Amino acid sequence: MRSARPPSNSDAWPGPRILPDLAARIEPAHTAVLVIDMQNDFLAPGFGAEKAGRDLAPGRAIVPGLQRLIAGARRAGATVAHVGFLTLPDNASDSGPWLAQRRRSTWSSDTLCLQGSPGADFLAELTPAPGDLVISKFRYSAFAATPMDVLLRARGIRTVIITGVSTNACVESTLRYAMELSYYIVVPTDGVASWSQPLHDATLENVNHRFGLTPVINEILEIWKSSERTTRGDAQ
């Protein structure tokens, strides 16, 4: 019996193609901006988090930058996905471990972002537009028990730019899950916020060390603008 012919160099699998830098990774056609939990109960005056005593200033501070990033993404042709946390009435979405830990969390509530309540609505400044994805989640990660992965892959998405609140909880859980699913990770340092600066800083340091890139929003927008100028033939 003849042995199989060993593969020639031309037959060998060359390995995965790596997107080497930020510009390659955030090409609009394969990039999605995920806007995590920018909702009234987390960030609007008079709603859940503020009533519980949380300082809204860090989260509110990123809103203008996210407005610019989202507008730039839409203009460039990148996908925008709004992700909102939901709690179902009568603890229908809660498990024992989940509820036990939430009750230990700072400035939390069993009815935070209750389904159908104004507190669950997205901030007026960041309202989804036609063509944006809108995803509801019941846990920290935007990928846990949601259609996020299926919807992104249907659009050919390879990179997720993860923004929103809180850096060390829902943002971090989402980026870790996305990395395990083989997405490129980008977390703009001025596009995420937390009620705890030390935890915010620790997450960003860990992202840069292990999970992805941490530019500022203006770097992303400038790359997209440069690409637009090149496409139009403006670049010399």
Side-chain angles (χ1 to χ4, degrees), residues 109-228:
S109 164
D110 289 8
T111 58
L112 201 65
C113 297
L114 188 67
Q115 185 183 48
S117 73
D121 292 342
F122 294 110
L123 292 178
E125 303 97 315
L126 299 171
T127 303
D132 292 352
L133 298 177
V134 178
I135 304 290
S136 296
K137 64 184 177 70
F138 299 103
R139 294 296 184 266
Y140 291 140
S141 172
F143 289 91
T146 77
M148 177 67 84
D149 184 45
V150 169
L151 296 179
L152 293 184
R153 293 191 190 280
R155 295 187 177 208
I157 301 301
R158 303 180 66 186
T159 297
V160 286
I161 300 174
I162 303 177
T163 69
V165 295
S166 291
T167 315
N168 54 289
C170 294
V171 169
E172 181 169 342
S173 296
T174 297
L175 72 89
R176 285 175 177 267
Y177 207 132
M179 179 68 172
E180 301 294 344
L181 292 171
S182 293
Y183 289 96
Y184 288 100
I185 309 300
V186 177
V187 182
T189 58
D190 53 349
V192 293
S194 174
W195 55 269
S196 168
Q197 191 65 36
L199 293 177
H200 168 87
D201 292 339
T203 292
L204 290 176
E205 183 176 354
N206 202 30
V207 171
N208 197 48
H209 183 59
R210 287 288 184 182
F211 295 99
L213 303 178
T214 54
V216 296
I217 287 172
N218 278 345
E219 290 180 70
I220 296 169
L221 293 176
E222 185 52 43
I223 288 170
W224 286 343
K225 289 177 183 176
S226 177
S227 178
E228 290 171 19

Side-chain angles (χ1 to χ4, degrees), residues 77-137:
T79 291
V80 176
H82 300 263
V83 184
F85 176 71
L86 281 185
T87 298
L88 296 182
D90 302 319
N91 302 119
S93 55
D94 298 323
S95 64
W98 173 254
L99 195 58
Q101 191 59 36
R102 283 191 62 76
R103 289 176 177 176
R104 292 185 64 241
S105 300
T106 309
W107 301 305
S108 189
S109 164
D110 289 8
T111 58
L112 201 65
C113 297
L114 188 67
Q115 185 183 48
S117 73
D121 292 342
F122 294 110
L123 292 178
E125 303 97 315
L126 299 171
T127 303
D132 292 352
L133 298 177
V134 178
I135 304 290
S136 296
K137 64 184 177 70

